[in-house]
Amino acid sequence: MNRIGKLYFRYGTMGSAKTAMLLTQAYNFEERGMRYLCMKPIIDDREKDNVIRSRIGIERKCEWIYPDTDIYAAIKRLSDEKQVVFDWILVDESQFLQEQQVDQLARVVDEFGTNVVCYGLRTDFQRNLFPGSMWLLAWADVIEEVKTVCWCGRKAITNARVANGKVVKSGEQI
């Protein structure tokens, strides 16, 4: 196969419009007749349907990624069923991926020549790397920050948890 794909990791804080960017990208691919697939980990349970939905109200159907999903095998199966090789795979909430799933996405890039773009958070509110983000930072061909503005007016650099009007740095993940 002569196609050369890349693994992209686009990270930003909450509210930086990562999901809206993914959905806009999917719309553009669709308009151009490109073959793409949207995916997201099911651990992101804000939605009950298999959709990626932005806070601004746009949405698109997606394939669920379960903790035990072999993403390489799932993409190969869908590719065989539709008789296409996807040009692009778009993954939302990629911070929730497992190490082996990031490795499987890298394998999709290498073996199919498919571009894979992962959108997600880099760190949690305690500034700890999420496992999926850690592996994407290590293995991605292209790493891009999606910038946004903090409530204070400066560049947002981390997520915060606010409880009773105060920023807290302890407690469980939500």
Side-chain angles (χ1 to χ4, degrees):
M1 186 165 280
N2 293 332
R3 296 166 25 131
I4 299 174
K6 288 188 179 182
L7 177 60
Y8 296 81
F9 180 40
R10 295 185 177 146
Y11 71 89
T13 59
M14 291 177 64
S16 61
K18 298 177 300 296
T19 299
M21 289 175 67
L22 180 151
L23 294 168
T24 301
Q25 196 170 19
Y27 175 81
N28 287 334
F29 293 155
E30 190 170 296
E31 272 203 329
R32 289 163 180 79
M34 300 179 88
R35 298 160 304 210
Y36 71 95
L37 177 67
C38 293
M39 305 179 87
K40 85 170 184 178
I42 195 165
I43 192 169
D44 172 27
D45 60 3
R46 291 176 291 180
E47 307 299 333
K48 300 304 175 206
D49 296 324
N50 59 325
V51 297
I52 296 172
R53 182 176 291 127
S54 173
R55 289 184 178 111
I56 63 172
I58 55 177
E59 67 181 48
R60 187 168 293 271
K61 288 277 188 196
C62 70
E63 296 291 324
W64 288 127
I65 300 171
Y66 295 88
D68 62 347
T69 296
D70 179 330
I71 297 176
Y72 178 87
I75 291 170
K76 180 155 181 21
R77 177 183 50 78
L78 288 166
S79 182
D80 290 347
E81 284 175 11
K82 297 177 188 250
Q83 297 183 335
V84 300
V85 174
F86 293 105
D87 299 307
W88 294 88
I89 307 293
L90 303 173
V91 182
D92 200 26
E93 304 292 352
S94 62
Q95 70 270 12
F96 297 125
L97 296 173
Q98 309 293 320
E99 174 186 359
Q100 68 271 17
Q101 292 173 321
V102 175
D103 185 55
Q104 292 157 4
L105 288 170
R107 189 173 163 210
V108 166
V109 169
D110 293 341
E111 293 187 19
F112 299 140
T114 298
N115 291 295
V116 175
V117 187
C118 296
Y119 290 86
L121 300 172
R122 183 175 52 102
T123 61
D124 64 15
F125 73 100
Q126 295 173 322
R127 293 190 176 178
N128 296 316
L129 285 169
F130 284 99
S133 302
M134 180 177 73
W135 294 109
L136 284 161
L137 286 166
W139 296 337
D141 300 304
V142 179
I143 300 168
E144 300 170 331
E145 181 180 12
V146 179
K147 297 176 183 171
T148 193
V149 177
C150 175
W151 57 268
C152 69
R154 290 181 260 170
K155 178 184 161 202
I157 58 170
T158 190
N159 298 301
R161 176 180 289 168
V162 179
N164 299 321
K166 295 183 181 179
V167 174
V168 295
K169 296 182 180 175
S170 62
E172 292 183 40
Q173 291 292 340
I174 299 175

